Amino acid sequence: LSLPPGVRFEETLAVAEQSIQKKAVVYDGDGDAHYDTISAFIKSMRGSDPDAALYWLAKMIHAGEDPRFISRRIMICAAEDVGLADPMALVLATAAHQAAEFVGWPEARIPLAEATVYVATANKSNSAYLAIDAALADVREGRTIPVPRHLRDTHYKGSARLGHGEAYKYAHDFTGHFVPQDYLGVDKRFYEPTEEGVEKKIKERVEKWRARVARTKAERSEADGGSPKSEIRNPRQIQESKPETGT
């Protein structure tokens, strides 16, 4: 639309604001302001600043943003940036997504605000995010690992003749529901737990299990007169080699 001669956009915007008694914000639904605002929102939650996150949330609400667009970003942030340091973050973010979709504006602002504050103030860990990217990097680089024979399916005819499932150990039959067993065929490590929040307990369990596996492999290697080859990939090094994304 074109404006009459001598009329500036700023004047027209001021008249529109006065007529509807609502302050206009710079927010284009599919342009730079749209993506800049959601980027600031995500980074504020990641950076543990609930006040900034609430402001950017309020800006999007005021501009009429789709609540599902906002809630999806909260869920992603809960999984990527909070992760296993506080698994309830993803549960709450998913509940907020469902609630917001069910009730719509204006009430949707309440569960979205609750989830925003929770994610922003939760302990942070991106270990699961780094771990899956490290595993994907291995797959994409063509390092195909065959399924170990004892882990292969045994439910089809002829599987026993092929040795599938032979010597498989059912974890629940052992003390602590754990038994050292090769589940990959090679020594690889993708998941590196942190000591943040709940994940500290996870780290203790994982380190105990890994120590038992390493001890068992060492004993078998000594009995066989050799040493197992190890290929440990550091997911954080893989992450550092990737180009930084916008969010």
Side-chain angles (χ1 to χ4, degrees):
L1 297 175
S2 59
L3 298 175
V7 178
R8 295 179 300 175
F9 173 77
E10 291 83 357
E11 295 173 349
T12 306
L13 179 61
V15 171
E17 290 176 343
Q18 182 64 30
S19 65
I20 63 176
Q21 294 295 301
K22 183 177 179 180
K23 176 67 176 177
V25 295
V26 178
Y27 192 89
D28 43 359
D30 57 359
D32 290 345
H34 167 79
Y35 291 107
D36 287 347
T37 303
I38 196 65
S39 178
F41 178 61
I42 294 169
K43 289 171 181 172
S44 297
M45 288 189 293
R46 179 186 297 148
S48 303
D49 189 332
D51 300 305
L54 284 169
Y55 175 82
W56 301 122
L57 173 63
K59 180 179 178 181
M60 290 186 287
I61 292 172
H62 182 82
E65 181 61 82
D66 185 344
R68 295 170 299 180
F69 174 79
I70 300 172
S71 61
R72 285 195 296 265
R73 270 60 191 179
I74 299 174
M75 287 191 291
I76 293 169
C77 189
E80 177 181 341
D81 298 306
V82 176
L84 292 167
D86 188 347
M88 278 302 299
L90 181 57
V91 176
L92 182 61
T94 303
H97 170 77
Q98 295 171 338
E101 188 171 35
F102 184 74
V103 303
W105 296 132
E107 288 82 2
R109 75 190 188 282
I110 305 169
L112 291 180
E114 180 182 355
T116 295
V117 172
Y118 192 99
V119 170
T121 57
N123 288 303
K124 304 294 192 297
S125 170
N126 66 344
S127 60
Y129 166 73
L130 293 176
I132 186 57
D133 279 4
L136 281 170
D138 253 27
V139 173
R140 288 167 181 158
E141 289 169 9
R143 302 183 182 184
T144 303
I145 301 172
V147 176
R149 188 167 297 177
H150 63 285
L151 300 181
R152 295 181 186 180
D153 185 35
T154 60
H155 292 88
Y156 59 90
K157 187 177 180 179
S159 61
R161 179 173 52 83
L162 297 172
H164 293 185
E166 186 177 323
Y168 168 69
K169 298 175 182 177
Y170 186 61
H172 297 296
D173 289 340
F174 296 84
T175 302
H177 301 261
F178 176 83
V179 59
Q181 184 167 218
D182 188 354
Y183 290 100
L184 195 55
V186 296
D187 289 335
K188 285 181 177 287
R189 184 172 298 179
F190 301 115
Y191 175 53
E192 295 291 348
T194 73
E195 295 190 353
E196 299 299 320
V198 176
E199 196 170 22
K200 184 175 182 179
K201 289 293 185 181
I202 297 174
K203 182 178 181 179
E204 292 173 0
R205 292 196 298 270
V206 170
E207 288 183 343
K208 180 179 69 175
W209 294 332
R210 285 175 174 171
R212 287 185 59 186
V213 169
R215 186 164 58 248
T216 300
K217 287 184 177 180
E219 292 170 354
R220 289 176 182 171
S221 176
E222 185 177 346
D224 295 339
S227 59
K229 293 182 179 180
S230 177
E231 185 180 350
I232 306 297
R233 291 172 65 83
N234 189 329
R236 296 190 180 277
Q237 290 178 346
I238 293 173
Q239 177 66 16
E240 290 171 359
S241 67
K242 292 173 57 180
E244 185 177 351
T245 60
T247 58

